[in-house]
Amino acid sequence: MTRLGRCVLGLVLLGSAWAAVALAPPGLRLPEPYRQVLLPLPLYLLVAFGCYSLATVGYRLATFNDCREAAAELQEHIRTARDDLRRRGLRF
């Protein structure tokens, strides 16, 4: 199973468990404070996931590593392409 499939399966299982408890089937009486916390729980989880994602992107951006070898290789490719274009008659 792919990672996406596992994530979707997990979300479906969590969502169905939340719906089973939050929609209060007959015979299940939750105290009112629990219901007040349980009903907006998916929204809280979505906001927490968004905060985590922003923090992760910010951290990865702050600790981004330079690849000096790749930069030198790219400069060499650019130089080769310019020389080839000059030989074909293109002026810069």
Side-chain angles (χ1 to χ4, degrees), residues 71-84 92:
E73 181 182 351
L74 183 60
Q75 289 295 329
E76 182 61 34
H77 287 308
I78 292 171
R79 212 168 305 135
T80 304
R82 281 188 177 172
D83 291 341
D84 183 47
F92 290 102

Side-chain angles (χ1 to χ4, degrees), residues 19-20 28 36 40 44 66 71 74 82 86 90:
L28 179 64
Q36 288 177 352
Y44 294 152
D66 289 336
L74 183 60
R82 281 188 177 172
R86 277 193 195 108
L90 184 70

